Amino acid sequence: TDGTPWWKEAVVYQIYPKSFNDTDADGIGDIPGIVEKVDYLDELGVDAVWLSPVYQSPQADNGYDISDYRAIDDQYGDLEDWGQLLAELHDRDIRLIMDLVVNHTSDEHEWFKRSRRGEEPYDDYYYWREGDPETPPNNWDSFFGGSAWSYDDEREAWYLHLFDEKQPDLNWRNPAVREDVYDMMNWWLDRGIDGFRMDVINLISKTEGLPDGDPHGGLVGAEHFMNGPRVHEYFSEMIGQTIDTVDREIMTVGETPGVSVEDAREYVGEDGDGLSMVFQFEHMGVGDGDSKWDAGEFDLVEFKQIFERWQTGLAADGWNSVYLSNHDQPRSVSQFGNDGEYRQESAKLLGTFTHTLHGTPFVYQGEELGMTNASFESIDELRDVEAINFVEEAIQDGDAEDYDDVRDAIEAVARDNARTPMQWSADANAGFTDGEPWLKVTDNYADINVASERESRDSIFQYYRRLIDLRHDNDVLIYGDFELHYPDHESVFAYTRTLGEDRALIVLNWSDEPTTVDIPDDIPTDDLELAIANQDVSTGVNAQFELQPWDARVYLTE
Ligand code: TEU
């Protein structure tokens, strides 16, 4: 459909560079390694790549701690390699979205080095508070455990870090900080990129005075740093001074922990702050206790309610993103599907789901293969600062005797599950590296890898290619109005999409058990044809759906 932004009709593929493909045998993925695989992305059929950070970084948080925004970290290559990647992607009509991490920098960034020395104008680039070295200025928690404050002996003051202590929060109240960020964004836009994924961008405005948070909150202080008082002012100013100055359509996706549909409506769309879309997290926490580490039972009815709210809430004047997986979440087939007996069927069902909703689908590297969570025998196998802190804190607080007491939680939701090397082949290290991988390869790589899935006609990879084609070829799947059916059914997720005369009916049996459901009589079915299914089905649509475990079907009007 001409005139609409390209990103509404795109499928985006997320690459976590450290784990994608290593060409210099240092056990770490690199940019030449991505260049080597651009034809793979083209074969899959994706329209854009979201590249997690490749900037200079001490790697405290795998690159989400940036020490130079205008330099590529040596472990990934250099700006010339990056330029070649951009050219190779653009040659194949694949766009490049870069990760923008500006809620915080690394503590090794020049700005912070000068700030801790009290050097103007950098002295006010971060949140510094004088005070008793034993008592943090307020009770806020870090996302990574512990206090959100660290005491700096050089400046003899506390500084705020919502994440690791090596990730000091930038003081966005300071116009000089905002100007420096916008200059950097324009520097990348001038290099021809097609958009930004904006890391925790709704955390950049904090309540004036940084008051204590509700001590009983899940993440203490969150009400004072999520969707803060000046966030719209900053978003509008940022978009106005960067994105809007470029004469090509730029996609922005804000990563916005704690965002509601109402917040999102203010962030996205013409009448909002001008973001293209946001990543929301409500569906990722279904069944959780008061933290991700005590993940409970998946509840499909709640999951359906969340998606109905977002699908209808942003349909009119906004746009959705749709994802089930990324570098911070467990592997989707392990979290939302069945990574054992029904791995193939459930991975295809999840792909069917993400490619038939309103909103841009995001495929995380390996999701198109049905890559699974990994086993982690000991804390020594972990690399993620969030996971390691969690284990150490649980033992220190007496909540666990040793690692084995928290191993199940780690293997269920630790971020390292999503960061094991991309599985290219059954060769050593899954063909990811000729060196020692920085993080272990998941044991099942001999069975789950690109080489084997490329060969087999009904692999998850081939099914994803068909899904992407199906979405590209049917505007009803992109723009159609969403309507949920069987809202209270505990294992069937069924919905229709309607665009003018075109209709789609999607029926998913999100369970290990066969089930039979009547077709709702408000769905005309005589003009529907089966367009794709993840298992053999009796074609045609009769009065009942007899669904096998993890059955996924898409019916379209001819
Ligand atoms: O993630 C923000 C964030 O909230 C994550 O910490 C996520 O919600 C949490 O890990 C789930 O338990 C972004 C990046 O995606 C993440 O990789 C970074 O660690 C974080 O910001 C800090 O930059």
Side-chain angles (χ1 to χ4, degrees):
T1 317
D2 53 19
T4 56
W6 61 266
W7 40 266
K8 288 193 173 182
E9 307 191 345
V11 174
V12 183
Y13 188 88
Q14 181 193 355
I15 291 178
Y16 195 66
K18 201 165 188 173
S19 306
F20 194 65
N21 185 35
D22 171 27
T23 57
D24 59 5
D26 65 354
I28 295 170
D30 47 52
I31 291 175
I34 305 173
V35 171
E36 231 179 55
K37 301 296 181 182
V38 173
D39 284 332
Y40 168 74
L41 302 173
D42 197 20
E43 182 184 350
L44 179 57
V46 296
D47 306 286
V49 162
W50 152 27
L51 181 59
S52 277
V54 289
Y55 316 100
Q56 187 181 294
S57 161
Q59 298 293 313
D61 186 17
N62 291 342
Y64 283 92
D65 51 314
I66 296 166
S67 54
D68 185 342
Y69 287 104
R70 291 179 174 79
I72 301 298
D73 196 90
D74 291 345
Q75 70 181 36
Y76 292 126
D78 58 24
L79 273 170
E80 196 178 326
D81 296 319
W82 180 87
Q84 195 199 343
L85 172 61
L86 180 71
E88 296 286 348
L89 288 170
H90 280 179
D91 280 354
R92 293 162 180 79
D93 288 333
I94 299 174
R95 290 179 162 91
L96 178 59
I97 309 297
M98 292 293 277
D99 215 315
L100 181 75
V101 187
V102 291
N103 171 69
H104 48 270
T105 68
S106 164
D107 65 345
E108 299 182 28
H109 194 290
E110 204 46 45
W111 296 344
F112 190 74
K113 289 178 181 173
R114 295 184 182 180
S115 193
R116 71 188 336 170
R117 289 199 293 264
E119 269 180 44
E120 292 187 2
Y122 302 102
D123 55 334
D124 191 31
Y125 265 49
Y126 298 87
Y127 290 95
W128 291 99
R129 291 293 179 278
E130 318 249 310
D132 164 11
E134 300 305 315
T135 319
N138 68 24
N139 65 353
W140 295 2
D141 288 337
S142 155
F143 279 82
F144 293 162
S147 166
W149 295 88
S150 288
Y151 193 78
D152 181 62
D153 293 329
E154 186 169 359
R155 177 144 171 183
E156 295 184 349
W158 294 88
Y159 68 88
L160 175 70
H161 55 83
L162 295 182
F163 293 93
D164 188 64
E165 65 178 2
K166 284 185 69 63
Q167 295 170 288
D169 278 51
L170 280 167
N171 170 17
W172 271 75
R173 288 154 46 256
N174 183 340
V177 167
R178 305 203 299 270
E179 287 314 310
D180 272 344
V181 166
Y182 306 156
D183 284 351
M184 176 269 289
M185 290 174 68
N186 287 324
W187 191 87
W188 281 104
L189 287 166
D190 290 349
R191 266 153 194 73
I193 68 171
D194 302 291
F196 289 108
R197 176 268 187 184
M198 301 181 170
D199 190 64
V200 293
I201 199 65
N202 65 325
L203 306 187
I204 60 178
S205 170
K206 280 76 169 170
T207 303
E208 202 52 35
L210 312 182
D212 271 357
D214 170 1
H216 305 295
L219 186 75
V220 176
E223 71 272 30
H224 294 307
F225 53 75
M226 282 184 180
N227 309 305
R230 296 177 65 181
V231 77
H232 299 299
E233 174 200 336
Y234 298 156
F235 282 8
S236 303
E237 183 185 70
M238 172 199 275
I239 300 289
Q241 295 203 21
T242 60
I243 311 299
D244 288 351
T245 66
V246 172
D247 62 3
R248 60 188 185 280
E249 182 64 39
I250 298 295
M251 179 191 117
T252 52
V253 50
E255 187 212 20
T256 48
V259 72
S260 66
V261 175
E262 293 65 36
D263 296 320
R265 269 212 285 268
E266 293 176 27
Y267 293 149
V268 307
E270 304 307 318
D271 309 335
D273 301 332
L275 287 179
S276 312
M277 63 192 98
V278 294
F279 287 137
Q280 57 94 8
F281 286 77
E282 289 184 10
H283 62 301
M284 298 312 282
V286 169
D288 279 5
D290 59 11
S291 103
K292 76 181 218 177
W293 300 106
D294 50 1
E297 279 304 300
F298 177 67
D299 173 344
L300 185 70
V301 172
E302 184 187 347
F303 188 77
K304 290 193 284 188
Q305 288 164 350
I306 290 169
F307 270 94
E308 182 179 39
R309 190 160 65 243
W310 282 89
Q311 286 287 297
T312 52
L314 284 185
D317 60 354
W319 194 253
N320 273 291
S321 69
V322 174
Y323 76 96
L324 294 177
S325 181
N326 61 41
H327 64 292
D328 292 330
Q329 303 297 338
R331 287 281 175 184
S332 53
V333 73
S334 299
Q335 180 171 16
F336 296 110
N338 173 327
D339 63 6
E341 181 185 1
Y342 293 105
R343 186 183 65 84
Q344 288 267 357
E345 296 82 352
S346 66
K348 291 175 183 175
L349 177 143
L350 298 178
T352 307
F353 176 65
T354 54
H355 287 75
T356 55
L357 287 177
H358 172 274
T360 300
F362 285 74
V363 178
Y364 177 63
Q365 69 182 45
E367 191 171 13
E368 78 278 17
L369 306 177
M371 277 177 65
T372 68
N373 277 359
S375 65
F376 295 102
E377 319 265 321
S378 79
I379 192 170
D380 302 335
E381 290 196 325
L382 299 176
R383 295 292 176 274
D384 176 24
V385 58
E386 180 190 51
I388 291 166
N389 287 0
F390 166 70
V391 176
E392 289 175 348
E393 209 171 278
I395 293 171
Q396 271 155 20
D397 295 355
D399 298 338
E401 275 288 296
D402 55 23
Y403 174 75
D404 288 344
D405 289 348
V406 290
R407 176 171 174 173
D408 288 349
I410 287 290
E411 292 184 341
V413 298
R415 302 193 300 179
D416 282 321
N417 279 300
R419 301 169 180 189
T420 58
M422 181 70 176
Q423 294 166 193
W424 296 106
S425 71
D427 298 339
N429 298 317
F432 163 72
T433 180
D434 294 337
E436 185 57 36
W438 71 279
L439 169 64
K440 68 182 286 188
V441 177
T442 303
D443 305 342
N444 55 26
Y445 72 89
D447 303 320
I448 302 173
N449 61 68
V450 168
S452 66
E453 298 212 19
R454 251 181 174 154
E455 293 318 307
S456 94
R457 220 181 53 76
D458 62 358
S459 68
I460 300 163
F461 169 74
Q462 297 298 355
Y463 188 84
Y464 260 76
R465 294 182 66 203
R466 291 172 54 209
L467 282 173
I468 293 169
D469 286 346
L470 189 72
R471 186 174 177 89
H472 283 156
D473 297 345
N474 292 279
D475 279 356
V476 66
L477 297 178
I478 298 173
Y479 298 105
D481 290 338
F482 171 95
E483 186 179 352
L484 179 65
H485 296 277
Y486 319 117
D488 303 328
H489 201 290
E490 298 193 349
S491 55
V492 172
F493 195 154
Y495 48 95
T496 46
R497 305 288 310 279
T498 308
L499 183 69
E501 295 305 303
D502 293 337
R503 273 177 301 110
L505 167 61
I506 296 92
V507 186
L508 311 169
N509 178 10
W510 211 298
S511 80
D512 292 337
E513 304 305 322
T515 186
T516 300
V517 287
D518 294 332
I519 300 172
D521 47 24
D522 60 347
I523 303 181
T525 56
D526 47 5
D527 60 349
L528 289 177
E529 261 193 358
L530 186 67
I532 191 171
N534 68 346
Q535 303 175 65
D536 295 339
V537 296
S538 57
T539 50
V541 190
N542 47 40
Q544 280 199 320
F545 282 125
E546 288 167 25
L547 303 171
Q548 303 166 73
W550 301 98
D551 233 332
R553 307 177 185 179
V554 180
Y555 295 90
L556 293 174
T557 40
E558 301 116 346

